[in-house]
Amino acid sequence: MPTVSVKRDLLFQALGRTYTDEEFDELCFEFGLELDEITSEKEIISKEQGNVKAAGASDVVLYKIDVPANRYDLLCLEGLVRGLQVFKERIKAPVYKRVMPDGKIQKLIITEETAKIRPFAVAAVLRNIKFTKDRYDSFIELQEKLHQNICRKRALVAIGTHDLDTLSGPFTYTAKRPSDIKFKPLNKTKEYTACELMNIYKTDNHLKHYLHIIENKPLYPVIYDSNGVVLSMPPIINGDHSRITVNTRNIFIECTGTDFTKAKIVLDIIVTMFSEYCENQFTVEAAEVVFPNGKSHTFPELAYRKEMVRADLINKKVGIRETPENLAKLLTRMYLKSEVIGDGNQIEIEIPPTRADIIHACDIVEDAAIAYGYNNIQMTLPKTYTIANQFPLNKLTELLRHDMAAAGFTEALTFALCSQEDIADKLGVDISATKAVHISNPKTAEFQVARTTLLPGLLKTIAANRKMPLPLKLFEISDIVIKDSNTDVGAKNYRHLCAVYYNKNPGFEIIHGLLDRIMQLLDVLPGEDKGGYVIKASEGPAFFPGRCAEIFARGQSVGKLGVLHPDVITKFELTMPCSSLEINIGPFL
Amino acid sequence: MEPGWRWELSPMHLLRLRRHTQDDDTLSPVLQLDTFKMAVHTPVPVAELLLRRLEASDGGLDSAELAAELGMEHQAVVGAVKSLQALGEVIEAELRSTKRWELTAEGEEIAREGSHEARVFRSIPPEGLAQSELMRLPSGKVGFSKAMSNKWIRVDKSAADGPRVFRVVDSMEDEVQRRLQLVRGGQAEKLGEKERSELRKRKLLAEVILKTYWVSKGSAFSTSISKQETELSPEMISSGSWRDRPFKPYNFLAHGVLPDSGHLHPLLKVRSQFRQIFLEMGFTEMPTDNFIESSFWNFDALFQPQQHPARDQHDTFFLRDPAEALQLPMDYVQRVKRTHSQGGYGSQGYKYNWKLDEARKNLLRTHTTSASARALYRLAQKKPFTPVKYFSIDRVFRNETLDATHLAEFHQIEGVVADHGLTLGHLMGVLREFFTKLGITQLRFKPAYNPYTEPSMEVFSYHQGLKKWVEVGNSGVFRPEMLLPMGLPENVSVIAWGLSLERPTMIKYGINNIRELVGHKVNLQMVYDSPLCRLDAEPRPPPTQEAA
């Protein structure tokens, strides 16, 4: 969930009134926001870097507000204020207009070289804008928030904003070999080639995260003006030449990306949010984008879409009984201008360009419910009549675990993920013999594989509890995972029961006795006939030679029991003899 | 055989003894313990004698006096008192301390044989005695000077063979012996302060503090305590002898011996209770025995777009082997693809290039909602549609940053109801019933965003300890873009909610670090000691005041 940080006093000024923290928290809750933290720049720095560094930092109160991940229109102060003011019916939702320029329209021409790396681009112009320091900061911050969220860290969309007065169109969006791109990037004093820049930015804490998007591509995306000035090398960096400042009056905005829909949404959000500060409020100057196929489109789209939803559908989905007129009013408060039309039960809803999250009638239903107030909805119980059933494997597990405890064993709960070493090396087995599933992106060795046996977890539990009085008697009934090409995903869970006895003597007879007890509980008789159980001398690398047996029941091998090999005991940092038992309980269902 | 663990002195017992005798400054706790041990082994006759005397006495008796009367060590009587005390209400004993004058060893000798000066006087014959000879007598030196100052004797220094001592008077009164005999006879008070002080200076008399017991009859007074049984035996039961036997009282302050038993894990005890609650509410358990899931079932089927941040390597464990799902239900996959990329079923869709390869990627399921999706898909294939209530509680996996409350794997609890015409009000109603069973009654709902539910609501409950609203679950109505491609009828709604198992368990058992609860670093003592899980019962008050 994105968090937007706004200055409290600025927010209250824009809202036209002040709130206590509690009042504002309440308002947020109602609207689906969360006032996450009340802090200040000073406090943040002091928390992260200590009081010394924080000295002199601003102590203006900041509200950190959590915004739902699909509400890109609430990612800046301007949007938050507009949303809340409309919600409280203090203003009407502004109408955003795309206008043609008096002179020539700005053009962005996309060449076909971009196809393989970053094929889409859209553009628009904010004309005669008036920034202040706070507005400018908010403008930059919004781009950052969009980059981190809908743009998926610039992979899907990257935004470039430029001082139009320093440039001359038409602009060309193309892709070139890195060595052929040379410009002075933002915040640098000289020109570099793209190759050099990629090297420099490897150590840049902010930019290094975006390099991978184009790093190994033969061609890098780049935008030029008609004089060959580099506007930007998306998605990494803008040129220094066209950088915007507080004093910039005309802004050229380009969004490039791999997802056309999202690029259009991002552009719409930026221009709807900041056209508020243009001389002609809420108007955006169009730009023309020419695609490699020669077709041209005008942006921003700023599309208003009409949806028709029946009032009784909203009432039925929410569980309320409101008149169509009231519902239309509720929706209008959610920035969705609505009116009752037709037979008096139809509501026509206008979806503004800021509400890209509205893609289905269910989204409209939700907004009606929010405006109605979730906590005002009458709670009722559905009349759904059903008979409950347990999942048989879990039912058996529940029964067994109670009787395992009754047999004097204590239940452990160990991780399903572990290191290769745990299930292979430490048990004297080669990893290839385990048929384990392997994780491709573990952050640490603890999450390399899914366990193929419960034994390592129990041994590690004992190792962490060596101070406890002996004997330690532990068990676990849980799932292990084995590769299996007969299943749709290529792997299968097996429900295992594992028990260990750890004491000054190996206690094989105790583990053996536990097996007899388990078989008694499962109503499996001793002997090989009629699916009974029997143990037969066996061997395994985890067991002491001559102290291991395989367990056969229900006509199949179900597991092993025995005294653990001293090497295994040592590798798990244990010092006492230990015997163990592990069976698959699936066959006993 | 002596079973008698209850007879052993527990440290607690000692503590009580000490506390009971804390005014007693002359007896150290160690001495108390010794006394007590001695009491246990005191031969019965002393105690019996004491009881008999007590029976005949008028009101009570003093232990020291009794010892004197019986002619035995006071300590032996004290032992008898202690052993009788241990029997309960047989006697009452009050500790008293009295000051008393006692003769020193020398004083005893003098009381018996006379003072040194008297002995010197008596040893002098009428014809006198050579002074050198007199000085060699045992009482010579001290007695000579005292007798001289009493003017009982004189020295003739002019005698022919050296100084010679003669009696001056014919007889004398040995006042010192008389006084000491008075003290020995318990009549020290007949002596004047000056006289006692003089005798004390001569180290013949000493003042001692005597601890004695004033013993009186207890509420259960009896003279027949001859032999106490420790435990009831089969023989006593068969012979009926238990009727006539007294039994040693138990020390109820001692701890019991904990039974030798196994223990269930607290988190799984809570899991059992949640299963129970769902079953009570008529919910059927879904199969969740597949930790490995395809991206398709984990994300795509839930209408979670392929660019969604949750599908990032930073959040999800993907598999290297087996890297891809082998089979997907291709008809259904096509409908899902169309809904994502073009829309349909009344939806605009996400309008992006949906890729099958992305859907095939295997992962460790990030939520059990993937299992719910499979269950709902199976349900949709059964015609006609029948309403269902489903639940599951099982492990899910997140490639997250770990801290005191987050692990890479945790248990998700999920409830799902599918029926015609379910409303948001129904969802809230079911949640109210569910949380009431958990003992949570104050609920509040906050609008929220989930990719696969719309409307969505976070569930908050008022936490009495923290004095604020805390999130206890997430819920919503599954999106039509998820349900309709599965083949569920259009007027069927599916409401669902989820929460983690760990969080309520940590609150329930007051655990701050999740590693102490889940995984191999668990504190087994905590497992051994954890109480029953009764979710709707009041939790025990925290040991310390919780910080707000």
Side-chain angles (χ1 to χ4, degrees):
Chain A
M1 203 187 278
T3 304
V4 181
S5 174
V6 295
K7 290 181 181 167
R8 183 193 62 188
D9 295 348
L10 223 51
L11 178 72
F12 289 171
Q13 191 190 331
L15 288 172
R17 62 159 284 187
T18 58
Y19 292 83
T20 64
D21 292 341
E22 290 73 26
E23 284 169 346
F24 192 72
D25 183 52
E26 196 58 38
L27 174 63
C28 284
F29 194 96
E30 207 187 332
F31 192 55
L33 304 170
E34 207 170 322
L35 180 55
D36 185 48
E37 202 186 343
I38 301 163
T39 179
S40 71
E41 227 166 88
K42 194 172 195 167
E43 210 179 304
I44 295 170
I45 298 173
S46 144
K47 230 185 248 174
E48 288 168 0
Q49 307 169 36
N51 286 329
V52 182
K53 292 252 172 138
S58 158
D59 46 16
V60 170
V61 178
L62 295 178
Y63 274 179
K64 289 194 156 188
I65 301 169
D66 281 350
V67 175
N70 62 342
R71 289 299 298 270
Y72 317 117
D73 60 319
L74 302 177
L75 287 176
C76 58
L77 176 92
E78 290 72 14
L80 273 171
V81 167
R82 238 175 274 166
L84 289 171
Q85 291 294 73
V86 173
F87 183 60
K88 294 311 257 180
E89 297 179 283
R90 291 197 200 106
I91 62 164
K92 285 197 166 147
V95 178
Y96 307 103
K97 267 194 223 135
R98 185 176 74 191
V99 295
M100 293 314 254
D102 297 337
K104 247 174 57 183
I105 190 168
Q106 296 295 337
K107 257 191 196 180
L108 175 65
I109 299 149
I110 306 177
T111 72
E112 60 189 9
E113 288 84 0
T114 59
K116 281 199 173 147
I117 172 144
R118 207 170 175 83
F120 305 109
V122 293
V125 173
L126 285 176
R127 189 65 75 178
N128 293 321
I129 198 163
K130 213 169 190 177
F131 276 143
T132 61
K133 177 73 172 65
D134 284 321
R135 292 172 182 182
Y136 174 84
D137 289 347
S138 176
F139 186 66
I140 301 296
E141 191 56 29
L142 173 64
Q143 293 176 53
E144 181 56 22
K145 289 278 181 261
L146 290 168
H147 274 152
Q148 291 311 311
N149 294 284
I150 180 174
C151 302
R152 279 205 78 193
K153 298 183 176 138
R154 302 191 188 180
L156 301 182
V157 184
I159 309 156
T161 54
H162 311 277
D163 187 339
L164 184 57
D165 298 333
T166 67
L167 299 164
S168 69
F171 306 99
T172 308
Y173 173 43
T174 185
K176 283 186 153 192
R177 285 209 306 247
S179 53
D180 294 345
I181 301 171
K182 194 170 186 193
F183 66 106
K184 186 165 95 174
L186 215 52
N187 304 324
K188 295 278 180 205
T189 49
K190 56 172 254 198
E191 291 196 340
Y192 296 91
T193 66
C195 305
E196 289 168 333
L197 282 179
M198 293 297 269
N199 255 326
I200 291 168
Y201 292 147
K202 276 202 173 81
T203 54
D204 183 303
N205 275 337
H206 179 54
L207 295 177
K208 67 180 178 191
H209 302 291
Y210 309 119
L211 303 181
H212 72 98
I213 302 170
I214 58 169
E215 204 166 20
N216 297 316
K217 301 282 161 60
L219 303 180
Y220 285 4
V222 60
I223 302 176
Y224 293 99
D225 82 347
S226 61
N227 296 325
V229 172
V230 171
L231 277 72
S232 64
M233 183 175 82
I236 312 296
I237 189 84
N238 287 347
D240 193 60
H241 179 92
S242 57
R243 70 180 304 162
I244 63 163
T245 67
V246 170
N247 301 316
T248 300
R249 294 302 311 274
N250 300 300
I251 303 173
F252 180 69
I253 303 162
E254 38 87 3
C255 298
T256 59
T258 54
D259 186 317
F260 192 36
T261 311
K262 290 207 161 59
K264 290 189 286 189
I265 293 172
V266 168
L267 184 66
D268 277 353
I269 292 291
I270 294 177
V271 298
T272 51
M273 292 299 115
F274 283 87
S275 56
E276 183 178 344
Y277 303 130
C278 289
E279 208 167 78
N280 290 321
Q281 251 195 340
F282 304 119
T283 64
V284 185
E285 184 180 310
E288 185 183 337
V289 176
V290 184
F291 289 85
N293 63 8
K295 287 190 179 163
S296 78
H297 291 264
T298 313
F299 295 101
E301 281 193 337
L302 293 183
Y304 280 80
R305 186 175 94 235
K306 294 246 159 97
E307 293 280 355
M308 215 80 86
V309 178
R310 292 187 64 82
D312 54 5
L313 178 99
I314 297 176
N315 278 327
K316 260 195 224 161
K317 293 281 179 193
V318 181
I320 51 176
R321 281 184 197 164
E322 287 294 296
T323 63
E325 287 72 21
N326 271 349
L327 290 174
K329 231 181 185 173
L330 292 175
L331 288 169
T332 303
R333 281 177 54 204
M334 296 305 288
Y335 221 110
L336 301 171
K337 207 176 107 199
S338 304
E339 55 183 335
V340 181
I341 57 154
D343 61 0
N345 198 7
Q346 287 281 1
I347 301 174
E348 188 185 65
I349 301 123
E350 188 181 63
I351 318 292
T354 46
R355 293 299 306 273
D357 59 298
I358 306 281
I359 58 175
H360 191 280
C362 67
D363 299 304
I364 295 167
V365 170
E366 180 182 75
D367 274 16
I370 293 172
Y372 182 82
Y374 277 4
N375 296 294
N376 298 324
I377 299 169
Q378 182 76 38
M379 296 189 208
T380 48
L381 275 181
K383 295 192 167 56
T384 312
Y385 180 79
T386 52
I387 302 286
N389 283 305
Q390 302 186 47
F391 182 53
L393 190 59
N394 291 354
K395 188 176 183 177
L396 177 63
T397 302
E398 283 290 286
L399 291 170
L400 270 177
R401 36 190 293 274
H402 281 90
D403 267 304
M404 290 295 288
F409 282 71
T410 290
E411 188 171 38
L413 173 62
T414 67
F415 296 128
L417 305 184
C418 59
S419 66
Q420 290 189 20
E421 203 190 6
D422 282 344
I423 55 163
D425 312 14
K426 285 186 182 174
L427 296 177
V429 189
D430 192 82
I431 186 71
S432 61
T434 59
K435 287 179 32 187
V437 303
H438 290 258
I439 294 165
S440 65
N441 57 333
K443 280 177 188 153
T444 70
E446 287 170 89
F447 311 117
Q448 288 174 325
V449 290
R451 65 185 172 196
T452 52
T453 156
L454 299 178
L455 182 61
L458 290 188
L459 295 180
K460 281 155 74 177
T461 306
I462 292 176
N465 284 279
R466 275 176 308 198
K467 61 181 190 306
M468 296 296 291
L470 295 174
L472 284 171
K473 296 190 277 185
L474 298 182
F475 81 95
E476 183 170 16
I477 308 179
S478 189
D479 285 1
I480 59 109
V481 184
I482 301 284
K483 276 205 291 180
D484 182 347
S485 56
N486 293 319
T487 67
D488 63 346
V489 294
K492 193 175 171 186
N493 281 25
Y494 289 89
R495 183 69 44 92
H496 274 203
L497 183 163
C498 184
V500 293
Y501 178 82
Y502 182 73
N503 201 0
K504 286 177 185 140
N505 56 302
F508 178 80
E509 69 287 355
I510 287 166
I511 280 297
H512 189 188
L514 183 69
L515 173 70
D516 292 337
R517 174 65 185 146
I518 292 167
M519 291 301 145
Q520 211 172 44
L521 290 166
L522 292 169
D523 202 14
V524 178
L525 296 174
E528 269 178 288
D529 303 337
K530 296 175 188 164
Y533 78 100
V534 68
I535 67 170
K536 292 179 182 172
S538 174
E539 49 192 53
F543 295 99
F544 199 48
R547 299 275 186 277
C548 168
E550 190 165 3
I551 306 159
F552 294 87
R554 295 272 195 257
Q556 58 186 292
S557 167
V558 294
K560 277 183 180 170
L561 81 167
V563 177
L564 291 183
H565 197 286
D567 286 347
V568 172
I569 290 168
T570 313
K571 279 175 182 163
F572 280 97
E573 293 165 15
L574 299 176
T575 51
M576 303 274 168
C578 182
S579 51
S580 80
L581 150 76
E582 183 160 5
I583 58 169
N584 172 18
I585 64 166
F588 303 101
L589 272 180
Chain B
M1 220 211 264
E2 174 79 39
W5 56 266
R6 279 190 183 275
W7 296 103
E8 285 160 23
L9 277 173
S10 71
M12 183 108 119
H13 197 121
L14 266 183
L15 217 66
R16 266 190 78 88
L17 268 177
R18 279 178 208 176
R19 222 174 283 134
H20 278 163
T21 58
Q22 64 191 0
D23 297 330
D24 182 353
D25 49 7
T26 60
L27 296 175
S28 73
V30 176
L31 183 61
Q32 286 284 310
L33 176 59
D34 288 342
T35 314
F36 194 87
K37 271 185 182 162
M38 199 153 65
V40 174
H41 300 293
T42 300
V44 173
V46 183
E48 261 184 30
L49 281 172
L50 190 152
L51 289 172
R52 261 181 240 130
R53 292 280 178 134
L54 187 57
E55 190 177 30
S57 78
D58 182 21
L61 50 82
D62 182 84
S63 59
E65 284 169 15
L66 181 68
E69 283 172 36
L70 295 175
M72 57 174 59
E73 289 287 318
H74 181 231
Q75 223 25 268
V77 176
V78 168
V81 169
K82 295 267 185 184
S83 80
L84 289 169
Q85 262 183 315
L87 299 179
E89 308 296 314
V90 176
I91 59 160
E92 273 172 29
E94 184 194 335
L95 191 64
R96 289 178 172 178
S97 65
T98 45
K99 281 186 184 175
R100 224 175 69 174
W101 292 98
E102 269 186 7
L103 302 187
T104 62
E106 194 184 353
E108 284 286 349
E109 185 193 319
I110 289 171
R112 202 166 55 241
E113 295 175 15
S115 64
H116 298 294
E117 52 272 31
R119 278 185 265 170
V120 164
F121 178 79
R122 286 189 202 113
S123 60
I124 300 171
E127 66 273 19
L129 190 67
Q131 188 178 9
S132 57
E133 206 172 317
L134 186 138
M135 284 306 177
R136 277 197 292 275
L137 292 171
S139 304
K141 274 181 189 163
V142 187
F144 172 75
S145 55
K146 271 284 171 193
M148 280 294 285
S149 68
N150 286 352
K151 298 199 166 55
W152 292 347
I153 56 173
R154 65 178 172 86
V155 184
D156 181 2
K157 290 185 178 164
S158 59
D161 48 351
R164 206 168 177 85
V165 184
F166 295 92
R167 289 187 182 183
V168 176
V169 292
D170 292 336
S171 65
M172 50 77 207
E173 282 292 321
D174 190 352
E175 196 57 30
V176 172
Q177 184 182 32
R178 190 188 66 80
R179 286 174 190 161
L180 289 177
Q181 279 170 347
L182 272 179
V183 172
R184 194 171 63 175
Q187 293 177 297
E189 69 278 4
K190 286 192 176 168
L191 297 183
E193 188 67 39
K194 199 179 159 197
E195 292 160 334
R196 282 200 299 256
S197 139
E198 190 194 313
L199 290 171
R200 200 181 63 203
K201 274 184 202 150
R202 286 184 67 178
K203 294 197 169 64
L204 303 177
L205 205 57
E207 190 175 29
V208 295
I209 296 166
L210 185 69
K211 299 276 167 184
T212 63
Y213 281 95
W214 178 252
V215 184
S216 55
K217 292 175 190 172
S219 58
F221 180 77
S222 155
T223 51
S224 59
I225 48 97
S226 51
K227 191 178 170 218
Q228 288 188 314
E229 299 294 344
T230 52
E231 289 296 1
L232 198 58
S233 71
E235 291 74 26
M236 291 176 198
I237 294 172
S238 62
S239 69
S241 68
W242 59 268
R243 293 177 203 279
D244 312 321
R245 311 299 319 168
F247 287 83
K248 280 190 187 176
Y250 279 169
N251 169 18
F252 292 110
L253 296 172
H255 282 288
V257 172
L258 284 178
D260 204 5
S261 70
H263 309 267
L264 294 174
H265 191 281
L267 187 84
L268 301 179
K269 288 200 269 198
V270 180
R271 184 181 71 179
S272 295
Q273 287 313 301
F274 273 101
R275 284 184 90 244
Q276 186 66 32
I277 287 171
F278 277 115
L279 293 170
E280 284 168 9
M281 291 175 71
F283 283 65
T284 284
E285 192 170 30
M286 291 182 274
T288 48
D289 56 337
N290 60 315
F291 293 166
I292 309 303
E293 192 52 279
S294 61
S295 292
F296 178 77
W297 286 109
N298 196 79
F299 294 125
D300 297 288
L302 300 174
F303 197 54
Q304 200 153 347
Q306 295 190 327
Q307 307 81 9
H308 193 276
R311 303 179 70 153
D312 204 280
Q313 298 273 328
H314 294 293
D315 292 298
T316 300
F317 287 116
F318 287 93
L319 291 198
R320 192 183 79 216
D321 181 25
E324 291 199 331
L326 308 167
Q327 303 147 29
L328 293 174
M330 289 314 288
D331 264 16
Y332 172 45
V333 167
Q334 285 310 316
R335 293 195 294 274
V336 169
K337 173 182 177 170
R338 206 168 46 239
T339 315
H340 278 245
S341 56
Q342 301 162 33
Y345 307 105
S347 176
Q348 299 284 313
Y350 292 123
K351 298 187 176 127
Y352 70 98
N353 186 12
W354 188 91
K355 289 177 185 143
L356 183 61
D357 288 349
E358 196 62 39
R360 279 196 191 279
K361 283 185 184 169
N362 272 338
L363 45 79
L364 279 150
R365 66 170 176 227
T366 62
H367 46 198
T368 48
T369 317
S370 58
S372 303
R374 283 178 183 263
L376 289 170
Y377 175 71
R378 279 193 300 273
L379 177 70
Q381 309 319 303
K382 280 191 248 162
K383 311 283 178 186
F385 169 81
T386 41
V388 296
K389 291 189 218 145
Y390 287 149
F391 82 94
S392 66
I393 310 170
D394 210 342
R395 292 181 199 240
V396 298
F397 305 86
R398 305 269 170 96
N399 196 6
E400 288 185 323
T401 312
L402 313 181
D403 61 34
T405 52
H406 292 87
L407 290 173
E409 53 189 274
F410 62 95
H411 289 73
Q412 187 187 330
I413 301 167
E414 181 148 306
V416 176
V417 185
D419 201 352
H420 297 282
L422 293 177
T423 68
L424 210 50
H426 284 138
L427 172 60
M428 292 161 66
V430 173
L431 286 169
R432 184 184 55 190
E433 296 305 316
F434 177 79
F435 281 100
T436 300
K437 280 181 177 284
L438 298 177
I440 295 172
T441 48
Q442 255 181 300
L443 286 189
R444 195 156 85 125
F445 301 91
K446 174 180 163 290
Y449 169 68
N450 289 316
Y452 42 88
T453 57
E454 189 84 11
S456 310
M457 41 174 62
E458 282 169 2
V459 191
F460 282 71
S461 93
Y462 191 75
H463 192 285
Q464 295 293 349
L466 300 174
K467 298 257 177 284
K468 64 173 186 180
W469 292 89
V470 294
E471 194 193 330
V472 291
N474 213 332
S475 68
V477 183
F478 281 137
R479 294 190 72 99
E481 293 101 320
M482 166 182 163
L483 302 178
L484 296 177
M486 289 177 172
L488 284 169
E490 210 166 325
N491 54 355
V492 165
S493 293
V494 182
I495 58 179
W497 75 98
L499 59 155
S500 91
L501 177 62
E502 279 75 358
R503 207 171 129 86
T505 306
M506 287 172 78
I507 295 169
K508 178 88 196 157
Y509 288 99
I511 295 164
N512 294 323
N513 186 349
I514 196 164
R515 279 164 223 271
E516 278 181 32
L517 177 68
V518 182
H520 56 267
K521 286 180 184 151
V522 67
N523 175 358
L524 280 179
Q525 192 62 52
M526 180 277 292
V527 176
Y528 293 169
D529 295 345
S530 76
L532 290 178
C533 170
R534 294 184 297 169
L535 292 170
D536 51 354
E538 279 292 306
R540 82 177 146 191
T544 50
Q545 204 65 38
E546 205 160 357

